[in-house]
Each structure stands twice: as C-alpha cells, then as structure tokens.
C-alpha cells in the first residue's frame, strides 16, 4: 500500500512539474523554434488527426469548371490591386 501512495505522489509531482513548465510559458512553442523529436511527433500527430477529422465531410468543388476558375482569377486580381 505504501508503494502505491509513493507512486501516486511521485506521478502527481511529475505531472505538476510538467504543468508548471508548460503553463509558465517556459517551452518555446514558436513555429520557427526547433522542437524536441517527441514534441514534433506529437504536434504532427495531433495536426494530422485534426485535419482528417475536420475535413471528413467536405465536398470538393469541381476544379475544371471554367466559370469558377474565371471568378477565382478576377478575385485574385482585385486582391493584388488593393495591395498596391
């Protein structure tokens, strides 16, 4: 029984330390900052699963539709002109 309590206390302290580390902003989460390998894999897995889950019911438009392509071109030209 004493081992269980010691184990639970040790895990709680460890999780508390991790929470403080990330909660205090000590970990640099910037996109241009290199991550630890395990962190990079976790971020990529979460990103890929999120994209898969949220894109499941998206209907792709017909990209060969000339009217749609023409409309898209005119929008791009307008946005470029507004940036000048």
């Amino acid at each position: 029984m004493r081992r269980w309590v010691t184990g639970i206390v040790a895990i709680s302290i460890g999780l508390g330390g991790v929470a403080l580390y990330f909660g205090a902003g000590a970990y640099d989460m910037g996109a241009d900052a290199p991550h630890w390998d395990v962190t990079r894999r976790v971020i990529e897995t979460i990103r890929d699963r999120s994209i898969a889950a949220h894109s499941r019911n998206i209907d792709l438009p017909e990209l060969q539709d000339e009217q749609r392509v023409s409309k898209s071109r005119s929008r791009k030209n307008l946005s470029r002109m507004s940036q000048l």
Side-chain angles (χ1 to χ4, degrees):
M1 182 68 164
R2 184 176 170 108
R3 285 185 181 171
W4 280 96
V5 172
T6 304
I8 291 172
V9 168
I11 290 172
S12 297
I13 290 172
L15 290 175
V18 169
L20 281 172
Y21 178 73
F22 288 109
Y27 183 75
D28 186 5
M29 193 64 184
D32 59 344
H35 297 296
W36 300 327
D37 189 48
V38 67
T39 307
R40 182 187 49 77
R41 284 186 277 156
V42 168
I43 291 170
E44 288 175 358
T45 301
I46 292 170
R47 181 199 63 210
D48 294 344
R49 289 183 180 179
S50 174
I51 290 169
H54 289 93
S55 64
R56 187 174 299 135
N57 297 323
I58 294 177
D59 294 326
L60 296 177
E62 180 58 50
L63 298 177
Q64 301 304 321
D65 182 8
E66 187 58 39
Q67 184 178 8
R68 181 181 295 269
V69 172
S70 177
K71 184 184 264 188
S72 175
R73 282 187 194 132
S74 66
R75 286 183 182 161
K76 285 181 184 178
N77 289 337
L78 286 175
S79 68
R80 285 186 189 143
M81 290 175 59
S82 66
Q83 294 173 356
L84 297 177

